[in-house]
Amino acid sequence: MTFIVPQSDPKASYLAHQREIDEAIKQTLDSGWYILGKQVAAFEQEFAAFIGVGHCVGVANGTDALVLALRACGVGAGDAVVTVSHTAVATVAAIELAGAEPLMVDIDPATFTISPQAIEDAIKSYRGKAKIKAIIAVHLYGHPAQMAAINKLARRYDLRVVEDCAQAHGASIKEGIADKRVGSIGDIAAFSFYPTKNLGALGDGGAVVTNDAGLAERLKLLREYGWRERYVSEIAGMNSRLDELQAALLRVKLKALDEENARRRRIAAVYDEGLKASNLNLPKRIGDVSHVYHQYVVRSGERDALKERLREKGIGTLIHYPVPVHLQPAYRHCANVALPETELAAREVLSLPMFPQLTDEQVEQVCRQSLLKQVEGGFDELTDSTSAPIATNGCHSGDGARNSAGRSKPDLSAVCLSRRRRSPGDQINARSFQSVG
């Protein structure tokens, strides 16, 4: 089915940067060097600077990034790694691919990220034979995990902290007077550049970042057969290299990442305003963090009905994630404790359309359709009757521009939702956001 409003659109990201990407690809093809050349080296340097770390090692994909991060930290057979079940399966798969045992714990229901209390409870109650060696903290949906508490636990129990940043490129946490980007807070961090990510390639790609020079040196060996000298393996490594073409286009898109993350936040603000009168549980931002909204995830006890209704109206949604990892057939052997918050989230979460190239009109349409429920003969508003109505005439937009009728023009801080027909002066100007960067 072709959606009027897709849930994500990696082609739109390409088209937004097409001229620069096409030129970067041409230059790379003309260079004749396609593996671990100047483009990869330059991207590694630029991405390390963006994150605020000393080292970046480009690898083939986000799963490999996690595997290599764990192996660089000395995690392997006989070890256990604490992480969540409410995540992409790659997080848990990487632990087993590194030879270790996953120890899955519950989430904080407000942020969907790992619960520090659940980590400590699991460590104290663990009776397995493996030695707990590390924590993988997943910054899910673009919201940072509670890194201060996680690092404190890691120091107390002598554990490594691996950040899974696959959904949080550019997110940050304020520490004192400084904002620290995720990826610079633990011992080591893994990124994915899958096409739908905030920083997405046009194929697979990944990176591992760290401030530890020793870990970075080990990563470089591990990603290419353990070679320091070509064809001579010092340690047992693997083949996981970011290729030159992907590095070249990632360099182009990295320049626009802050701007595109800002656009995501503006879209989220419109959703927040437009859906506040609904019975949906909207995303929360907990603590002094910068959320980058890889996904805008709502919760509803009638999730499946909402998803189907939006599908019928041409609006794409996804469920991240419908089955917790510990309940999937391949990983039931890892289920060690009950994870009630995780299992409840899996029944309720729904990801609305979210990507920087969404137009204002598309965002408004998502809000409008999300506020309707099926009733006999048509649709009605899905709201709490005690809630204040959403503005329908001249949405307040602070000191924004006025239209010809003297009313405030709707902008990205508010959205007009009305059951009347709009006049031309009420339309949201979407053109300026059809491509970003």
Side-chain angles (χ1 to χ4, degrees):
M1 178 177 180
T2 301
F3 290 104
I4 300 170
V5 185
Q7 200 278 328
S8 62
D9 189 353
K11 184 178 179 181
S13 178
Y14 163 63
L15 293 175
H17 309 285
Q18 183 175 7
R19 183 186 60 79
E20 289 182 90
I21 288 174
D22 289 353
E23 179 59 28
I25 289 174
K26 183 179 185 302
Q27 289 179 3
T28 305
L29 292 174
D30 289 345
S31 76
W33 195 302
Y34 308 128
I35 296 291
L36 295 185
K38 293 180 179 179
Q39 294 289 352
V40 170
F43 174 72
E44 289 174 338
Q45 183 177 14
E46 291 160 7
F47 192 62
F50 176 83
I51 298 299
V53 294
H55 310 277
C56 171
V57 178
V59 299
N61 54 66
T63 306
D64 283 1
L66 283 168
V67 173
L68 290 165
L70 290 168
R71 290 189 60 186
C73 289
V75 174
D79 297 326
V81 178
V82 180
T83 194
V84 288
S85 177
H86 186 65
T87 182
V89 71
T91 307
V92 177
I95 295 170
E96 291 201 333
L97 288 168
E101 172 189 317
L103 182 58
M104 287 178 270
V105 303
D106 219 344
I107 56 171
D108 172 357
T111 64
F112 300 103
T113 62
I114 194 166
S115 162
Q117 186 60 58
I119 295 173
E120 184 156 36
D121 291 346
I123 292 171
K124 288 180 175 179
S125 63
Y126 181 66
R127 298 293 182 267
K129 295 181 180 179
K131 173 181 172 56
I132 299 176
K133 194 79 164 281
I135 301 166
I136 295 182
V138 182
H139 304 299
L140 200 68
Y141 305 147
H143 193 296
Q146 299 175 54
M147 291 305 297
I150 292 167
N151 281 336
K152 185 177 180 180
L153 286 171
R155 290 190 295 271
R156 182 182 304 162
Y157 293 102
D158 192 25
L159 306 176
R160 290 285 200 175
V161 176
V162 179
E163 296 179 71
D164 183 343
C165 304
Q167 299 187 10
H169 311 68
S172 63
I173 303 173
K174 185 169 286 295
E175 291 190 357
I177 61 172
D179 289 323
K180 296 194 69 174
R181 293 196 196 269
V182 299
S184 68
I185 305 168
D187 294 297
I188 197 167
F191 286 84
S192 167
F193 303 125
Y194 186 79
T196 58
K197 303 299 186 185
N198 291 43
L199 179 61
L202 296 181
D204 274 319
V208 188
V209 302
T210 183
N211 271 315
D212 187 316
L215 289 178
E217 183 63 23
R218 185 168 173 81
L219 283 166
K220 290 177 181 178
L221 294 176
L222 286 168
R223 78 168 169 187
E224 193 176 33
Y225 307 117
W227 290 350
R228 195 184 307 273
E229 176 186 348
R230 192 168 180 81
Y231 303 130
V232 179
S233 298
E234 289 190 15
I235 60 175
M238 57 192 286
N239 175 10
S240 183
R241 301 172 294 211
L242 180 64
D243 74 69
E244 285 285 284
L245 289 171
Q246 300 299 343
L249 67 92
L250 285 168
R251 294 181 67 198
V252 170
K253 296 176 77 173
L254 178 60
K255 293 182 290 185
L257 181 55
D258 280 337
E259 180 183 355
E260 293 191 348
N261 281 342
R263 169 63 177 163
R264 288 174 182 268
R265 283 190 285 270
R266 291 195 295 271
I267 292 169
V270 176
Y271 282 151
D272 287 346
E273 178 67 20
L275 299 175
K276 68 181 181 182
S278 74
N279 61 359
L280 300 175
N281 190 338
L282 305 182
K284 297 176 177 63
R285 186 170 61 87
I286 306 298
D288 202 349
V289 303
S290 177
H291 196 319
V292 293
Y293 292 98
H294 174 62
Q295 303 292 349
Y296 187 91
V297 179
V298 300
R299 297 184 72 155
S300 171
E302 300 178 350
R303 186 266 312 279
D304 293 341
L306 173 61
K307 179 178 175 61
E308 177 59 20
R309 183 173 70 253
L310 292 175
R311 186 194 68 80
E312 291 173 355
K313 293 297 181 179
I315 295 172
T317 60
L318 288 172
I319 299 172
H320 298 100
Y321 297 92
V323 182
V325 178
H326 73 286
L327 297 181
Q328 296 178 23
Y331 296 99
R332 284 182 184 146
H333 65 281
C334 302
N336 44 282
V337 293
L339 305 177
E341 295 294 349
T342 294
E343 292 171 26
L344 180 60
R347 294 194 295 269
E348 294 184 346
V349 295
L350 187 68
S351 299
L352 299 183
M354 174 56 79
F355 56 96
Q357 292 77 29
L358 278 170
T359 67
D360 296 358
E361 290 173 339
Q362 288 176 317
V363 176
E364 181 184 8
Q365 185 176 3
V366 174
C367 289
R368 184 190 304 280
Q369 297 302 333
S370 297
L371 283 169
L372 301 179
K373 65 179 179 180
Q374 186 75 52
V375 296
E376 186 176 358
F379 288 87
D380 197 4
E381 290 188 0
L382 184 64
T383 61
D384 182 343
S385 60
T386 63
S387 300
I390 296 173
T392 58
N393 253 342
C395 298
H396 179 65
S397 56
D399 296 324
R402 296 273 170 174
N403 64 19
S404 59
R407 294 191 294 269
S408 297
K409 279 186 180 179
D411 63 12
L412 283 174
S413 65
V415 67
C416 288
L417 295 172
S418 173
R419 299 173 78 181
R420 63 178 171 82
R421 185 179 299 276
R422 291 179 175 274
S423 66
D426 288 330
Q427 299 302 315
I428 295 177
N429 178 9
R431 284 187 216 166
S432 61
F433 292 105
Q434 285 179 346
S435 64
V436 178

